[in-house]
């Protein structure tokens, strides 16, 4: 997940037998180069492949009216948390779509796999990747996806508590609570566009409840997030996750507090056992 990890997690996953991935959406070209070079150096003895993941969206045209409307909706929260409205900006963290510059970077770094979020680039830039993602956190999920024809599975939530991730303490605490919650106290997740303008799944927080997980007034991706940034900063300083994007899949209990290498090796071992069991069952028929 963008912002939650970089080369450390990718290296650990590769050492555990998985495909290490670098989320490039929030990284400058030089930062991508640095992480790829670190990965190559750390996994040289394995000749491990690497996946570079890019966002593939169309930047929306400037719309001051929509931006102002969004700030007006959030204004009561600004007052509540003492946010200085004069310091607000509609410009958020860099989230540039895959473009010719990105393509040149791919040609330079030669990753074995390139994947995309939010669509695909134009045909002349497209490099085919066949994978599946969503709700997979254990060996049974991997096997089920393979049975449906997937060449690979993409896993995120299972690594959010890994030693190598940059997940915030507040986010980690929520994942831990979800893992031990009873059925009656289960922490729900929902698809929301409030934090970025694009649908993504996360733990339900105050702003999602009060504005609705899918808010029609949220500006287009990626401009919705910046006005919430000041609120997130002010709230988190008090230990409050009201405006935090606490991303998680449908099964947060899969997240494990271990090295990603250990998690990956365990998944591979469990998958091998399941495959052997399935083959044994078929041979006995």
């Amino acid at each position: 997940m963008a912002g939650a990890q970089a080369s450390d997690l990718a290296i650990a996953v590769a050492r555990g037998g998985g495909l290490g991935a670098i989320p490039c959406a929030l990284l400058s070209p030089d930062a991508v180069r640095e992480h790829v070079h670190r990965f190559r150096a750390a996994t040289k003895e394995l000749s491990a492949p690497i996946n570079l993941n890019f966002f593939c969206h169309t930047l929306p045209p400037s719309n001051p009216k929509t931006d102002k409307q969004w700030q007006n909706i959030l204004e009561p929260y600004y007052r509540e948390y003492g946010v200085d409205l004069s310091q607000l900006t509609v410009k958020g963290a860099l989230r540039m779509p895959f473009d010719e510059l990105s393509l040149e970077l791919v040609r330079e770094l030669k990753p074995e796999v390139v994947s995309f979020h939010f669509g695909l680039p134009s045909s002349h830039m497209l490099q085919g990747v066949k994978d599946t993602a969503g709700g997979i956190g254990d060996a049974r999920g991997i096997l089920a996806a393979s049975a449906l024809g997937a060449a690979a599975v993409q896993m995120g939530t299972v690594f959010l508590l890994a030693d190598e991730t940059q997940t915030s303490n507040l986010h980690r605490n929520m994942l831990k609570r979800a893992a031990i919650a009873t059925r009656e106290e289960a922490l729900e997740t929902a698809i929301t566009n409030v934090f970025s303008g694009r649908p993504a799944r996360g733990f339900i927080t105050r702003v999602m409840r009060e504005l609705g997980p899918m808010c029609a007034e949220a500006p287009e991706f990626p401009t919705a997030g910046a006005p919430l940034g000041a609120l997130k900063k002010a709230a988190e300083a008090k230990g409050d996750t009201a405006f935090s994007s606490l991303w998680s899949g449908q099964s947060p209990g899969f997240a494990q507090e271990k090295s990603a290498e250990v998690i990956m090796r365990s998944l591979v071992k469990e998958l091998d056992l399941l495959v052997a069991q399935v083959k044994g069952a078929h041979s006995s028929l």
Side-chain angles (χ1 to χ4, degrees):
M1 297 182 182
Q5 59 107 158
S7 50
D8 288 343
L9 181 60
I11 290 166
V13 167
R15 286 175 173 165
L19 173 63
I22 304 292
C24 301
L26 301 180
L27 300 177
S28 68
D30 284 342
V32 174
R33 289 187 183 93
E34 178 184 350
H35 286 301
V36 170
H37 293 329
R38 283 191 62 205
F39 179 92
R40 295 296 193 197
T43 62
K44 185 177 180 180
E45 75 282 2
L46 302 174
S47 298
I50 189 172
N51 167 214
L52 297 187
N53 179 268
F54 296 89
F55 283 2
C56 193
H57 58 284
T58 301
L59 289 174
S62 176
N63 192 330
K65 181 179 179 180
T66 299
D67 294 336
K68 182 61 177 175
Q69 180 185 23
W70 187 229
Q71 289 186 13
N72 289 341
I73 290 173
L74 299 176
E75 187 171 358
Y77 298 125
Y78 295 143
R79 291 198 301 269
E80 179 181 346
Y81 284 83
V83 173
D84 184 357
L85 297 180
S86 67
Q87 301 301 312
L88 294 180
T89 174
V90 298
K91 294 182 179 179
L94 179 66
R95 289 181 175 86
M96 297 302 294
F98 190 82
D99 55 12
E100 293 291 346
L101 182 62
S102 306
L103 181 59
E104 288 303 314
L105 189 64
V106 167
R107 287 171 174 162
E108 171 193 337
L109 298 175
K110 297 179 173 60
E112 286 75 11
V113 177
V114 179
S115 59
F116 304 97
H117 273 67
F118 306 138
L120 294 172
S122 59
S123 57
H124 81 278
M125 292 195 293
L126 181 61
Q127 305 216 1
V129 177
K130 182 181 180 183
D131 65 6
T132 185
I136 298 172
D138 63 2
R140 292 180 182 276
I142 299 172
L143 184 62
S146 299
L148 292 173
V153 297
Q154 182 176 323
M155 306 173 77
T157 303
V158 69
F159 295 111
L160 281 177
L161 287 177
D163 300 341
E164 297 83 2
T165 61
Q166 299 164 2
T167 314
S168 71
N169 287 334
L170 290 173
H171 197 168
R172 285 178 176 271
N173 289 339
M174 185 69 79
L175 288 161
K176 293 175 189 177
R177 285 176 55 199
I180 62 175
T182 64
R183 185 179 298 273
E184 292 75 19
E185 300 171 339
L187 301 179
E188 295 183 2
T189 64
I191 300 291
T192 181
N193 68 340
V194 169
F195 298 108
S196 71
R198 283 265 188 168
R201 182 175 292 277
F203 288 109
I204 296 176
T205 59
R206 176 185 172 186
V207 70
M208 290 168 64
R209 283 193 300 270
E210 295 182 358
L211 299 186
M214 295 299 295
C215 180
E217 291 78 17
E220 291 184 66
F221 180 89
T223 55
L228 276 168
L231 286 168
K232 175 183 176 181
K233 182 178 180 180
E236 288 189 349
K238 303 176 181 179
D240 183 351
T241 60
F243 307 97
S244 302
S245 51
L246 305 176
W247 305 126
S248 172
Q250 290 177 290
S251 302
F254 283 137
Q256 301 178 45
E257 289 187 272
K258 302 175 183 177
S259 165
E261 180 177 352
V262 173
I263 296 171
M264 196 65 232
R265 289 187 183 279
S266 177
L267 288 167
V268 171
K269 183 178 180 180
E270 291 171 16
L271 181 60
D272 287 343
L273 288 173
L274 285 173
V275 170
Q277 290 172 7
V278 171
K279 288 182 177 178
H282 285 175
S283 64
S284 64
L285 295 178

